[in-house]
Amino acid sequence: MSELQNSLLELIRRTSAEIPDDVHKVILTSLENEKKHSPAANALKIVDQNIALAKNTSQPICQDTGSILFYVDCPIAYDQITFAETAREAVTLATKKGFLRQNSVDSLTGKNDGTNVGPGAPAFHFHQHRSPEVSVRLVLKGGGCENVGAQYSLPAEKLNANRDLDGCRKAILDAVLQAQGKGCGPGILGVCIGGDRATGYELSKTQFLRLIPDRNPIPELDALEQDVLKTANELGIGPMGFGGKTTLLGVKICAANRLPASYFVSVSYMCWAYRRQGVTLDAEGKIGKWLY
């Protein structure tokens, strides 16, 4: 096994079995804020127990190990083809070892070949930079939370949402309201304002690479993030829709240029099983440091 394959295998194992510290901390804080012995508190206790059990046994946190999304920042002339080939081999091996469940199927036949590898799976997002460092971030995104993502085209008459930040706020909160705890809440929102239909969703998912406690450097978006988080948690939907104070754990928003004719708000939803991890790699493919 090459150093790169070994490193990617360990990245997959750890991402699947361990919740990042920043996510675990906000889950524990939310548990403290819920009324003791309430359905919300009990749901979050089960979540915390699940997190500990998965980590201690090196087993997947969720039976749906999700879409496999690689985000790779690499220097100019980095061999992206070899990386993708090696990553597919690592995914196949990780599936064989049980770090990933066999849950990627052919969309036409429904056939599952047990490898988690096929057209579009895993997905790769390569970004060149002028630094010599290679960093790899991995997100495992479950299908349940993917189902409750939403995209809005503003103006939206039913929401009385115009083409402005208030209209964006109404659209984002409508997505939360429509989810009603589905998608294994409490969740985290990744949002992109603008772009086209494809890039809007793609950029919304990059927001899951941010840390939960970080603050948006753009004041208007920072204010919107904090407002949506506060308002959503006052809706009373709560963990798994059981009621309570914790509907969302975080909200992350970016903006992209758009065409004058279009104004999209793309909302991606991440479940509490927020599987996100990353590493830096040296020239041989060995792990230098963990990023989360």
Side-chain angles (χ1 to χ4, degrees):
M1 185 186 299
S2 69
E3 290 290 355
L4 177 59
Q5 185 176 335
N6 191 56
S7 296
L8 294 178
L9 180 64
E10 176 60 13
L11 173 61
I12 294 167
R13 183 200 69 79
R14 188 160 168 179
T15 307
S16 179
E18 301 179 15
I19 287 284
D21 287 343
D22 63 306
V23 181
H24 196 189
K25 286 178 181 176
V26 74
I27 289 173
L28 291 176
T29 299
S30 299
L31 174 57
E32 292 174 1
N33 290 336
E34 294 291 354
K35 184 179 179 181
K36 287 185 178 181
H37 308 300
S38 66
N42 291 336
L44 289 174
K45 279 183 181 179
I46 293 171
V47 164
D48 188 42
Q49 292 167 358
N50 189 89
I51 290 170
L53 185 62
K55 184 175 182 178
N56 292 338
T57 61
S58 198
Q59 294 293 313
I61 290 170
C62 177
Q63 76 274 11
D64 178 2
T65 47
S67 298
I68 304 165
L69 313 175
F70 284 100
Y71 295 87
V72 185
D73 294 312
C74 55
I76 297 168
Y78 184 73
D79 190 343
Q80 298 179 8
I81 295 174
T82 295
F83 179 93
E85 291 172 345
T86 306
R88 292 187 187 100
E89 293 169 356
V91 166
T92 300
L93 184 55
T95 306
K96 186 176 181 180
K97 288 179 174 290
F99 303 152
L100 298 172
R101 298 284 171 79
Q102 300 176 12
N103 65 343
S104 179
V105 302
D106 184 292
S107 292
L108 300 182
T109 66
K111 182 179 178 181
N112 186 337
D113 68 3
T115 66
N116 277 316
V117 173
F124 299 98
H125 302 274
F126 289 101
H127 303 278
Q128 285 191 345
H129 57 197
R130 290 191 167 89
S131 166
E133 183 178 84
V134 177
S135 64
V136 182
R137 291 173 174 83
L138 175 62
V139 174
L140 301 178
K141 191 173 188 303
C145 63
E146 185 75 355
N147 285 342
V148 294
Q151 189 173 67
Y152 297 82
S153 179
L154 301 186
E157 186 176 347
K158 288 184 179 180
L159 301 178
N160 193 28
N162 296 316
R163 290 183 162 190
D164 52 27
L165 287 182
D166 181 64
C168 295
R169 176 183 182 273
K170 289 175 179 175
I172 298 166
L173 287 171
D174 182 69
V176 176
L177 192 62
Q178 296 304 318
Q180 285 295 309
K182 296 177 183 177
C184 294
I188 300 90
L189 300 186
V191 180
C192 178
I193 298 170
D196 60 25
R197 287 195 180 274
T199 59
Y201 266 134
E202 182 178 338
L203 289 170
S204 71
K205 290 183 179 180
T206 66
Q207 295 302 289
F208 296 135
L209 303 177
R210 292 170 54 186
L211 291 167
I212 291 285
D214 77 3
R215 298 294 292 262
N216 201 308
I218 301 173
E220 295 87 349
L221 295 183
D222 178 62
L224 184 58
E225 289 178 354
Q226 303 308 313
D227 179 35
V228 169
L229 179 62
K230 179 178 182 294
T231 305
N233 285 335
E234 292 171 348
L235 293 176
I237 296 170
M240 310 294 176
F242 291 157
K245 301 176 182 178
T246 315
T247 299
L248 296 179
L249 298 173
V251 179
K252 305 297 174 185
I253 304 174
C254 68
N257 275 28
R258 62 179 177 82
L259 295 175
S262 302
Y263 197 121
F264 294 113
V265 180
S266 306
V267 182
S268 288
Y269 188 100
M270 177 65 82
C271 57
W272 68 259
Y274 189 167
R275 292 157 291 178
R276 172 252 288 143
Q277 190 49 267
V279 294
T280 61
L281 302 174
D282 66 15
E284 286 74 42
K286 288 184 180 180
I287 294 174
K289 65 180 180 181
W290 292 88
L291 300 177
Y292 298 102

